[in-house]
Amino acid sequence: MLNLNSGYFIMLLGLAAYIVVAVTLAGFLPDHWAVQILYALVAGMAWIYPAVKFLDFSYRKQQDKKATIAKEDHPSQD
């Protein structure tokens, strides 16, 4: 199961891969200051949404795991 620490590690690997791709693509851009600024803005913010979603996913998995353990430790009196 994915825990919070492995989630952070996976996110860091994904971010490193994103940086490699973004820098590689930047090499193919035209040498014009407006294009470079626009690309820097888009590429600089594009990673935020997937990172937040991934962290939310891994955090929810961790919370679900804790809730399951708590239910097993204290079963309800049905």
Coordinates of all heavy atoms in Angstrom, one line a residue:
M1 N 0.8 -1.2 0.0 CA 0.0 0.0 0.0 C 0.9 1.2 0.0 O 2.0 1.3 0.6 CB -0.9 0.0 1.2 CG -1.8 1.3 1.2 SD -3.0 1.3 2.5 CE -4.2 0.2 1.8
L2 N 0.4 2.3 -0.6 CA 1.1 3.5 -0.7 C 1.0 4.3 0.6 O -0.1 4.6 1.1 CB 0.5 4.4 -1.8 CG 1.1 5.7 -2.2 CD1 2.5 5.4 -2.8 CD2 0.3 6.5 -3.1
N3 N 2.2 4.5 1.2 CA 2.1 5.4 2.4 C 2.6 6.8 2.1 O 3.0 7.1 1.0 CB 2.9 4.7 3.6 CG 4.4 4.7 3.3 OD1 4.9 5.4 2.5 ND2 5.1 3.7 4.0
L4 N 2.5 7.6 3.1 CA 2.8 9.0 2.9 C 4.2 9.3 2.4 O 4.5 10.0 1.5 CB 2.4 9.8 4.1 CG 2.2 11.3 3.9 CD1 1.1 11.6 2.9 CD2 1.8 12.0 5.3
N5 N 5.2 8.6 3.0 CA 6.6 8.7 2.7 C 6.9 8.3 1.3 O 7.6 8.9 0.6 CB 7.5 8.0 3.7 CG 7.5 8.7 5.0 OD1 7.3 9.9 5.1 ND2 7.7 7.9 6.1
S6 N 6.3 7.1 0.9 CA 6.6 6.7 -0.5 C 5.9 7.6 -1.5 O 6.3 7.8 -2.6 CB 6.1 5.2 -0.7 OG 4.7 5.1 -0.5
G7 N 4.8 8.2 -1.1 CA 4.1 9.2 -1.9 C 4.9 10.4 -2.2 O 5.0 10.9 -3.3
Y8 N 5.6 10.9 -1.1 CA 6.5 12.0 -1.3 C 7.7 11.6 -2.3 O 8.1 12.4 -3.1 CB 7.1 12.5 0.0 CG 6.1 13.2 0.9 CD1 6.0 13.0 2.2 CD2 5.2 14.1 0.3 CE1 5.1 13.6 3.0 CE2 4.2 14.8 1.1 CZ 4.2 14.5 2.4 OH 3.3 15.2 3.2
F9 N 8.2 10.4 -2.1 CA 9.3 10.0 -2.9 C 8.9 9.9 -4.4 O 9.6 10.3 -5.3 CB 9.8 8.6 -2.4 CG 11.0 8.1 -3.2 CD1 12.2 8.7 -3.1 CD2 10.9 7.0 -4.0 CE1 13.3 8.2 -3.8 CE2 11.9 6.5 -4.7 CZ 13.2 7.1 -4.6
I10 N 7.7 9.3 -4.6 CA 7.2 9.2 -6.0 C 7.0 10.6 -6.6 O 7.3 10.8 -7.7 CB 5.9 8.3 -6.0 CG1 6.2 6.9 -5.7 CG2 5.2 8.4 -7.3 CD1 5.0 6.0 -5.4
M11 N 6.5 11.5 -5.8 CA 6.2 12.8 -6.3 C 7.6 13.5 -6.6 O 7.7 14.2 -7.7 CB 5.5 13.7 -5.3 CG 5.1 15.0 -5.9 SD 4.3 16.1 -4.7 CE 5.7 16.7 -3.8
L12 N 8.6 13.3 -5.8 CA 9.9 13.9 -6.2 C 10.5 13.3 -7.4 O 11.1 14.0 -8.2 CB 10.9 13.7 -5.0 CG 10.6 14.6 -3.8 CD1 11.6 14.2 -2.6 CD2 10.8 16.0 -4.1
L13 N 10.3 12.0 -7.6 CA 10.7 11.4 -8.9 C 10.0 12.0 -10.1 O 10.6 12.3 -11.1 CB 10.6 9.9 -8.8 CG 11.6 9.1 -8.0 CD1 11.2 7.6 -8.0 CD2 13.0 9.3 -8.4
G14 N 8.7 12.1 -9.9 CA 7.9 12.7 -11.0 C 8.2 14.1 -11.3 O 8.3 14.5 -12.4
L15 N 8.5 14.9 -10.2 CA 8.9 16.3 -10.4 C 10.3 16.3 -11.1 O 10.5 17.2 -12.0 CB 9.0 17.0 -9.1 CG 9.3 18.5 -9.1 CD1 8.3 19.2 -9.9 CD2 9.3 19.0 -7.7
A16 N 11.2 15.5 -10.8 CA 12.5 15.4 -11.5 C 12.3 15.1 -12.9 O 13.0 15.7 -13.8 CB 13.4 14.4 -10.8
A17 N 11.5 14.1 -13.2 CA 11.2 13.8 -14.6 C 10.5 15.0 -15.4 O 10.9 15.3 -16.5 CB 10.3 12.6 -14.7
Y18 N 9.6 15.7 -14.7 CA 9.0 16.8 -15.3 C 10.0 17.9 -15.6 O 10.0 18.5 -16.7 CB 7.9 17.4 -14.4 CG 7.3 18.6 -14.9 CD1 6.3 18.6 -15.9 CD2 7.7 19.9 -14.4 CE1 5.8 19.8 -16.4 CE2 7.1 21.0 -14.9 CZ 6.2 21.0 -15.9 OH 5.6 22.1 -16.4
I19 N 11.0 18.1 -14.7 CA 12.0 19.1 -14.9 C 12.8 18.8 -16.2 O 13.1 19.6 -17.0 CB 12.9 19.3 -13.7 CG1 12.1 20.0 -12.6 CG2 14.2 20.1 -14.0 CD1 12.7 19.9 -11.2
V20 N 13.2 17.5 -16.3 CA 14.0 17.1 -17.4 C 13.2 17.3 -18.7 O 13.8 17.8 -19.7 CB 14.4 15.6 -17.3 CG1 15.0 15.0 -18.6 CG2 15.4 15.4 -16.2
V21 N 11.9 17.0 -18.7 CA 11.1 17.2 -19.9 C 11.0 18.7 -20.3 O 11.1 19.1 -21.4 CB 9.8 16.5 -19.8 CG1 8.8 16.9 -20.9 CG2 9.9 15.0 -19.7
A22 N 10.7 19.5 -19.2 CA 10.5 20.9 -19.4 C 11.7 21.6 -20.0 O 11.7 22.4 -20.9 CB 10.0 21.6 -18.1
V23 N 12.9 21.2 -19.4 CA 14.1 21.8 -19.9 C 14.4 21.4 -21.3 O 14.9 22.2 -22.1 CB 15.3 21.5 -18.9 CG1 16.6 21.9 -19.5 CG2 15.1 22.2 -17.6
T24 N 14.2 20.1 -21.6 CA 14.4 19.6 -23.0 C 13.5 20.3 -24.0 O 14.0 20.7 -25.0 CB 14.2 18.1 -23.0 OG1 15.0 17.4 -22.1 CG2 14.5 17.5 -24.4
L25 N 12.2 20.5 -23.6 CA 11.3 21.2 -24.5 C 11.7 22.6 -24.7 O 11.5 23.2 -25.8 CB 9.9 21.0 -24.0 CG 9.2 19.7 -24.1 CD1 7.9 19.7 -23.5 CD2 9.2 19.2 -25.6
A26 N 12.2 23.2 -23.7 CA 12.6 24.6 -23.8 C 13.7 24.8 -24.8 O 13.8 25.9 -25.4 CB 13.1 25.1 -22.4
G27 N 14.5 23.8 -25.0 CA 15.6 23.9 -26.0 C 15.1 24.0 -27.4 O 15.8 24.5 -28.3
F28 N 13.8 23.6 -27.7 CA 13.2 23.7 -29.0 C 12.4 24.9 -29.3 O 11.9 25.1 -30.4 CB 12.3 22.5 -29.2 CG 13.1 21.1 -29.3 CD1 13.0 20.3 -28.2 CD2 13.8 20.8 -30.3 CE1 13.7 19.1 -28.2 CE2 14.5 19.6 -30.4 CZ 14.4 18.7 -29.3
L29 N 12.3 25.8 -28.3 CA 11.6 27.0 -28.4 C 12.3 28.1 -29.3 O 13.5 28.1 -29.3 CB 11.3 27.7 -27.1 CG 10.3 26.9 -26.2 CD1 10.2 27.6 -24.8 CD2 9.0 26.8 -26.8
P30 N 11.5 28.9 -30.0 CA 12.2 30.0 -30.7 C 12.9 31.0 -29.7 O 12.5 31.1 -28.6 CB 11.0 30.8 -31.4 CG 9.9 29.9 -31.2 CD 10.1 28.9 -30.1
D31 N 14.0 31.6 -30.2 CA 14.8 32.5 -29.4 C 14.2 33.9 -29.4 O 14.8 34.8 -29.9 CB 16.2 32.5 -29.9 CG 17.2 33.1 -28.9 OD1 16.8 33.1 -27.7 OD2 18.2 33.6 -29.3
H32 N 13.0 33.9 -28.8 CA 12.3 35.2 -28.6 C 11.9 35.4 -27.2 O 11.3 34.4 -26.6 CB 11.0 35.3 -29.5 CG 10.4 36.6 -29.6 ND1 9.4 37.0 -28.7 CD2 10.6 37.7 -30.5 CE1 9.1 38.3 -29.0 NE2 9.8 38.7 -30.1
W33 N 12.1 36.6 -26.6 CA 11.9 36.8 -25.2 C 10.4 36.5 -24.8 O 10.2 36.0 -23.7 CB 12.3 38.2 -24.8 CG 11.5 39.3 -25.4 CD1 11.8 39.9 -26.6 CD2 10.3 39.8 -24.9 NE1 10.8 40.8 -26.8 CE2 9.9 40.8 -25.8 CE3 9.6 39.6 -23.7 CZ2 8.8 41.6 -25.6 CZ3 8.5 40.4 -23.5 CH2 8.1 41.4 -24.5
A34 N 9.5 36.9 -25.6 CA 8.1 36.7 -25.2 C 7.7 35.2 -25.2 O 7.0 34.8 -24.2 CB 7.2 37.4 -26.2
V35 N 8.2 34.4 -26.1 CA 7.9 33.0 -26.1 C 8.6 32.3 -24.9 O 7.9 31.5 -24.2 CB 8.4 32.3 -27.4 CG1 8.3 30.8 -27.4 CG2 7.7 32.9 -28.6
Q36 N 9.8 32.7 -24.6 CA 10.5 32.2 -23.4 C 9.8 32.5 -22.1 O 9.7 31.7 -21.2 CB 11.9 32.6 -23.4 CG 12.7 32.0 -24.6 CD 14.1 32.5 -24.7 OE1 14.5 33.4 -24.0 NE2 14.9 31.9 -25.6
I37 N 9.3 33.7 -22.0 CA 8.6 34.1 -20.7 C 7.3 33.4 -20.6 O 7.0 32.9 -19.5 CB 8.4 35.7 -20.7 CG1 9.7 36.4 -20.4 CG2 7.4 36.0 -19.6 CD1 9.6 37.9 -20.5
L38 N 6.6 33.3 -21.7 CA 5.3 32.5 -21.7 C 5.5 31.1 -21.3 O 4.8 30.5 -20.5 CB 4.6 32.7 -23.0 CG 3.2 32.0 -23.1 CD1 2.2 32.6 -22.1 CD2 2.7 32.1 -24.5
Y39 N 6.5 30.5 -21.9 CA 6.8 29.1 -21.6 C 7.3 28.9 -20.2 O 6.8 28.0 -19.5 CB 8.0 28.5 -22.5 CG 8.3 27.1 -22.3 CD1 7.4 26.1 -22.7 CD2 9.4 26.8 -21.5 CE1 7.7 24.8 -22.4 CE2 9.7 25.4 -21.3 CZ 8.8 24.4 -21.7 OH 9.1 23.1 -21.4
A40 N 8.1 29.8 -19.7 CA 8.5 29.7 -18.3 C 7.3 29.8 -17.3 O 7.3 29.1 -16.3 CB 9.5 30.8 -18.0
L41 N 6.4 30.7 -17.6 CA 5.2 30.8 -16.8 C 4.3 29.5 -16.8 O 3.9 29.0 -15.8 CB 4.3 32.0 -17.2 CG 4.9 33.4 -16.9 CD1 4.1 34.5 -17.5 CD2 4.9 33.6 -15.4
V42 N 4.1 29.0 -18.0 CA 3.3 27.8 -18.1 C 4.0 26.6 -17.5 O 3.4 25.9 -16.7 CB 2.9 27.6 -19.6 CG1 2.2 26.2 -19.8 CG2 2.0 28.7 -20.1
A43 N 5.2 26.4 -17.9 CA 6.0 25.2 -17.4 C 6.2 25.4 -15.9 O 6.2 24.3 -15.2 CB 7.3 25.1 -18.1
G44 N 6.4 26.6 -15.4 CA 6.6 26.8 -14.0 C 5.4 26.5 -13.1 O 5.5 26.2 -11.9
M45 N 4.2 26.6 -13.7 CA 3.0 26.4 -12.9 C 2.3 25.1 -13.2 O 1.4 24.6 -12.5 CB 2.1 27.6 -13.0 CG 2.6 28.8 -12.4 SD 1.4 30.2 -12.4 CE 1.0 30.4 -14.0
A46 N 2.6 24.4 -14.3 CA 1.9 23.3 -14.8 C 2.0 22.1 -13.9 O 1.2 21.2 -13.8 CB 2.3 22.9 -16.2
W47 N 3.1 22.0 -13.1 CA 3.3 20.8 -12.2 C 2.5 20.9 -10.9 O 2.3 19.9 -10.2 CB 4.8 20.7 -11.9 CG 5.3 21.9 -11.1 CD1 5.8 23.0 -11.5 CD2 5.3 22.0 -9.6 NE1 6.1 23.9 -10.5 CE2 5.9 23.2 -9.3 CE3 4.9 21.1 -8.6 CZ2 6.0 23.7 -8.0 CZ3 5.1 21.5 -7.3 CH2 5.6 22.8 -7.0
I48 N 2.0 22.1 -10.6 CA 1.3 22.3 -9.3 C 0.0 21.5 -9.2 O -0.2 20.8 -8.2 CB 1.0 23.8 -9.1 CG1 2.4 24.6 -9.0 CG2 0.2 24.0 -7.8 CD1 2.2 26.1 -8.9
Y49 N -0.8 21.5 -10.2 CA -2.1 20.8 -10.1 C -1.9 19.3 -9.9 O -2.5 18.7 -9.0 CB -3.0 21.1 -11.3 CG -4.3 20.4 -11.2 CD1 -5.3 20.9 -10.4 CD2 -4.6 19.3 -12.0 CE1 -6.6 20.3 -10.4 CE2 -5.8 18.7 -12.0 CZ -6.8 19.2 -11.1 OH -8.0 18.6 -11.1
P50 N -1.1 18.6 -10.7 CA -0.9 17.2 -10.5 C -0.2 16.9 -9.2 O -0.6 15.9 -8.6 CB 0.0 16.8 -11.7 CG 0.0 17.8 -12.7 CD -0.4 19.1 -12.0
A51 N 0.7 17.7 -8.7 CA 1.3 17.5 -7.5 C 0.3 17.6 -6.3 O 0.3 16.7 -5.4 CB 2.5 18.5 -7.2
V52 N -0.5 18.5 -6.3 CA -1.6 18.7 -5.3 C -2.5 17.5 -5.3 O -2.8 16.9 -4.2 CB -2.3 20.0 -5.4 CG1 -3.6 20.0 -4.5 CG2 -1.4 21.2 -5.1
K53 N -2.9 17.1 -6.5 CA -3.8 15.9 -6.6 C -3.1 14.7 -6.1 O -3.8 13.8 -5.4 CB -4.3 15.7 -8.0 CG -5.3 16.7 -8.5 CD -6.5 16.6 -7.7 CE -7.6 17.5 -8.2 NZ -8.8 17.5 -7.3
F54 N -1.9 14.5 -6.4 CA -1.1 13.3 -5.9 C -1.0 13.3 -4.4 O -1.2 12.3 -3.8 CB 0.2 13.2 -6.6 CG 0.9 11.9 -6.2 CD1 0.6 10.7 -6.8 CD2 1.9 11.9 -5.3 CE1 1.2 9.5 -6.5 CE2 2.6 10.8 -4.9 CZ 2.3 9.6 -5.5
L55 N -0.6 14.4 -3.9 CA -0.5 14.5 -2.4 C -1.8 14.3 -1.7 O -1.8 13.6 -0.7 CB 0.1 15.9 -2.0 CG 1.6 16.1 -2.3 CD1 2.0 17.5 -2.0 CD2 2.4 15.1 -1.6
D56 N -2.9 14.8 -2.3 CA -4.2 14.6 -1.7 C -4.5 13.1 -1.7 O -5.0 12.6 -0.7 CB -5.2 15.4 -2.5 CG -6.6 15.3 -1.8 OD1 -6.7 15.5 -0.6 OD2 -7.6 15.1 -2.6
F57 N -4.2 12.5 -2.8 CA -4.5 11.1 -3.0 C -3.7 10.2 -1.9 O -4.3 9.4 -1.2 CB -4.2 10.6 -4.4 CG -4.1 9.1 -4.6 CD1 -5.3 8.4 -4.7 CD2 -2.9 8.4 -4.6 CE1 -5.2 7.0 -4.8 CE2 -2.9 7.1 -4.8 CZ -4.0 6.4 -4.9
S58 N -2.4 10.5 -1.8 CA -1.6 9.7 -0.9 C -2.0 10.0 0.5 O -2.0 9.1 1.4 CB -0.1 10.0 -1.2 OG 0.2 11.3 -0.9
Y59 N -2.4 11.3 0.8 CA -2.8 11.6 2.2 C -4.1 10.9 2.5 O -4.3 10.4 3.6 CB -2.9 13.1 2.3 CG -3.3 13.6 3.7 CD1 -2.4 13.6 4.7 CD2 -4.6 14.0 4.0 CE1 -2.7 13.9 6.0 CE2 -5.0 14.4 5.3 CZ -4.0 14.3 6.3 OH -4.4 14.7 7.6
R60 N -5.1 10.9 1.6 CA -6.3 10.2 1.8 C -6.1 8.7 2.1 O -6.8 8.1 2.9 CB -7.3 10.4 0.7 CG -8.2 11.6 0.9 CD -9.3 11.7 -0.1 NE -8.7 12.2 -1.4 CZ -8.8 11.6 -2.6 NH1 -9.4 10.5 -2.7 NH2 -8.2 12.2 -3.6
K61 N -5.2 8.1 1.3 CA -4.9 6.7 1.5 C -4.4 6.5 2.9 O -4.7 5.5 3.5 CB -3.9 6.2 0.5 CG -4.4 6.1 -0.9 CD -5.4 4.9 -1.0 CE -5.8 4.6 -2.4 NZ -6.8 3.6 -2.5
Q62 N -3.5 7.4 3.4 CA -2.9 7.2 4.7 C -4.0 7.4 5.8 O -4.1 6.6 6.7 CB -1.8 8.3 4.9 CG -1.1 8.1 6.2 CD -0.1 6.9 6.2 OE1 0.2 6.4 5.1 NE2 0.3 6.5 7.3
Q63 N -4.9 8.3 5.6 CA -6.0 8.5 6.5 C -7.0 7.3 6.5 O -7.5 6.9 7.6 CB -6.8 9.8 6.2 CG -6.0 11.1 6.4 CD -5.5 11.2 7.8 OE1 -4.3 10.9 8.0 NE2 -6.3 11.6 8.7
D64 N -7.3 6.8 5.3 CA -8.1 5.6 5.3 C -7.5 4.4 6.0 O -8.2 3.7 6.7 CB -8.4 5.2 3.8 CG -9.3 6.2 3.1 OD1 -9.9 7.0 3.8 OD2 -9.3 6.1 1.8
K65 N -6.2 4.3 5.9 CA -5.5 3.2 6.6 C -5.6 3.4 8.1 O -5.8 2.4 8.8 CB -4.0 3.2 6.1 CG -3.2 2.1 6.7 CD -1.8 2.1 6.2 CE -0.9 1.1 6.8 NZ 0.5 1.2 6.4
K66 N -5.4 4.6 8.6 CA -5.5 4.9 10.0 C -6.9 4.6 10.5 O -7.1 4.1 11.6 CB -5.1 6.3 10.3 CG -3.6 6.6 10.2 CD -3.2 8.0 10.5 CE -1.8 8.2 10.3 NZ -1.4 9.7 10.5
A67 N -7.9 5.0 9.7 CA -9.3 4.8 10.1 C -9.6 3.3 10.2 O -10.3 2.8 11.1 CB -10.2 5.5 9.1
T68 N -9.1 2.5 9.2 CA -9.3 1.1 9.2 C -8.7 0.4 10.5 O -9.3 -0.4 11.1 CB -8.7 0.4 8.0 OG1 -9.3 1.1 6.8 CG2 -9.0 -1.0 7.9
I69 N -7.5 0.9 10.8 CA -6.8 0.3 12.0 C -7.5 0.7 13.2 O -7.7 -0.1 14.1 CB -5.3 0.8 12.0 CG1 -4.5 0.2 10.9 CG2 -4.7 0.5 13.4 CD1 -3.1 0.8 10.7
A70 N -8.0 1.9 13.3 CA -8.8 2.3 14.5 C -10.1 1.5 14.6 O -10.5 1.2 15.7 CB -9.1 3.8 14.4
K71 N -10.7 1.2 13.5 CA -12.0 0.4 13.6 C -11.7 -1.0 14.1 O -12.4 -1.6 14.8 CB -12.6 0.4 12.2 CG -13.4 1.6 11.8 CD -14.1 1.4 10.5 CE -14.8 2.6 10.1 NZ -15.5 2.5 8.8
E72 N -10.5 -1.5 13.6 CA -10.2 -2.9 14.0 C -9.8 -2.9 15.5 O -10.1 -3.9 16.2 CB -9.0 -3.4 13.2 CG -9.4 -3.7 11.8 CD -8.2 -4.0 10.9 OE1 -7.0 -3.9 11.4 OE2 -8.4 -4.3 9.7
D73 N -9.2 -1.9 16.0 CA -8.8 -1.8 17.4 C -10.0 -1.6 18.3 O -10.1 -2.1 19.5 CB -7.8 -0.7 17.7 CG -6.5 -1.0 17.1 OD1 -6.2 -2.2 16.8 OD2 -5.6 -0.1 16.9
H74 N -11.0 -0.8 17.9 CA -12.2 -0.5 18.7 C -13.5 -0.8 17.9 O -14.1 0.0 17.3 CB -12.2 1.0 19.0 CG -11.0 1.4 19.8 ND1 -10.4 0.7 20.8 CD2 -10.2 2.5 19.6 CE1 -9.3 1.4 21.2 NE2 -9.2 2.5 20.5
P75 N -13.9 -2.1 17.8 CA -15.1 -2.5 17.1 C -16.3 -1.9 17.7 O -16.4 -1.7 18.9 CB -15.1 -4.0 17.1 CG -14.2 -4.4 18.2 CD -13.2 -3.3 18.4
S76 N -17.3 -1.5 16.9 CA -18.5 -0.9 17.5 C -19.4 -1.9 18.2 O -19.3 -3.1 17.9 CB -19.3 -0.2 16.3 OG -19.7 -1.2 15.4
Q77 N -20.2 -1.5 19.1 CA -21.1 -2.4 19.9 C -22.4 -2.5 19.2 O -23.5 -2.1 19.8 CB -21.2 -1.8 21.3 CG -20.0 -1.6 22.0 CD -19.5 -2.9 22.6 OE1 -20.3 -3.8 22.9 NE2 -18.2 -3.0 22.8
D78 N -22.5 -3.1 18.0 CA -23.8 -3.2 17.3 C -24.6 -4.3 17.8 O -24.4 -5.3 18.2 CB -23.6 -3.4 15.8 CG -23.0 -2.2 15.1 OD1 -23.3 -1.1 15.7 OD2 -22.3 -2.3 14.1

